[in-house]
């Protein structure tokens, strides 16, 4: 038997042992490389607290929103009917609700209700009070009720305390007011 033939079984054993060690080491090294090189996963975002009733479904009361219905003059009634016919079924996700009276002048959305009344008395306030021109409509605000001061027929919107950014809520109606309620002949200085 030659030296070459005797070395072959020993070489084979050494090669098998080297392969048995090298394969798991290579697999472990590859796994480690991919763990280090993979992109970091972004942490799960925490849900943001809701500032509007639109963020999640809610059960609406079936009872109508109680609203007063003062008598309107002929011109007021005509303008208010035109306005109410164009109001949306939802305001920033709040669904429209039935009202107890004054269907031609009152509307409501959500719970607690965001309410709109057309044909209210024009607000009186000192000339130093602030007025807010939002999307082309001028408003005066007093204790959560915003009233138009630049429209022929005044309209008020009451924003419940739980809704953030009341000016953003009332400005949702600006386009409809401009299209359906004519401008007043006179208006406060801050509205011009």
């Amino acid at each position: 038997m030659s030296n070459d033939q005797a070395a072959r079984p020993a070489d084979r054993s050494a090669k098998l042992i080297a392969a048995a060690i090298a394969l798991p080491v290579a697999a472990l090294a590859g796994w480690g490389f991919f763990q280090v090189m993979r992109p970091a996963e972004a942490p799960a975002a925490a849900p943001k607290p809701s500032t509007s009733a639109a963020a999640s479904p809610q059960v609406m009361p079936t009872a109508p929103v109680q609203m007063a219905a003062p008598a309107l003059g002929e011109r007021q009634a005509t303008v208010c009917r035109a306005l109410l016919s164009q109001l949306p079924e939802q305001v920033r996700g709040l669904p429209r609700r039935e009202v107890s009276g004054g269907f031609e002048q009152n509307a409501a959305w959500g719970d607690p209700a965001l309410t709109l009344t057309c044909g209210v008395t024009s607000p009186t306030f000192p000339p130093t009070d602030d007025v807010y021109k939002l999307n082309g409509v001028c408003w005066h605000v007093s204790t959560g009720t915003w009233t138009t001061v630049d429209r022929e027929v005044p309209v008020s919107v009451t924003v419940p305390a739980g809704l953030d950014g009341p000016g953003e809520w009332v400005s949702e109606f600006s386009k409809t007011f401009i299209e359906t309620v004519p401008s007043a002949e006179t208006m406060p200085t801050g509205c011009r």
Side-chain angles (χ1 to χ4, degrees), residues 36 62 70 103 143 178 190:
V36 171
T62 56
F103 307 105
T143 61
I178 291 168

Side-chain angles (χ1 to χ4, degrees), residues 44-151:
K48 294 180 181 177
S50 173
T51 59
S52 78
S56 62
Q58 56 180 311
V59 176
M60 283 291 119
T62 56
V65 175
Q66 295 296 313
M67 296 184 73
L72 297 175
E74 188 177 332
R75 175 66 181 159
Q76 289 176 314
T78 300
V79 170
C80 290
R81 279 193 300 273
L83 169 63
L84 265 69
S85 73
Q86 299 303 308
L87 291 175
E89 288 303 307
Q90 286 195 357
V91 176
R92 297 180 73 190
L94 297 179
R96 192 156 176 183
R97 293 183 56 194
E98 295 292 323
V99 295
S100 63
F103 307 105
E104 72 284 349
Q105 69 198 82
N106 293 323
W109 296 264
D111 181 44
L114 170 76
T115 60
L116 177 146
T117 303
C118 181
V120 298
T121 304
S122 292
T124 56
F125 51 91
T128 56
D129 269 12
D130 288 331
V131 291
Y132 303 92
K133 193 163 188 176
L134 303 172
N135 293 340
V137 176
C138 199
W139 302 85
H140 180 264
V141 63
S142 177
T143 61
T145 298
W146 294 65
T147 305
T148 60
V149 292
D150 65 341
R151 303 283 111 190

Side-chain angles (χ1 to χ4, degrees), residues 2 5 10 25 27 29 33 42 46-47 63 79 84 110 114 136 141 145 160 168-169:
S2 72
Q5 290 175 343
V25 170
F33 174 78
V79 170
L84 265 69
L114 170 76
V141 63
T145 298
E168 294 173 22
W169 288 92

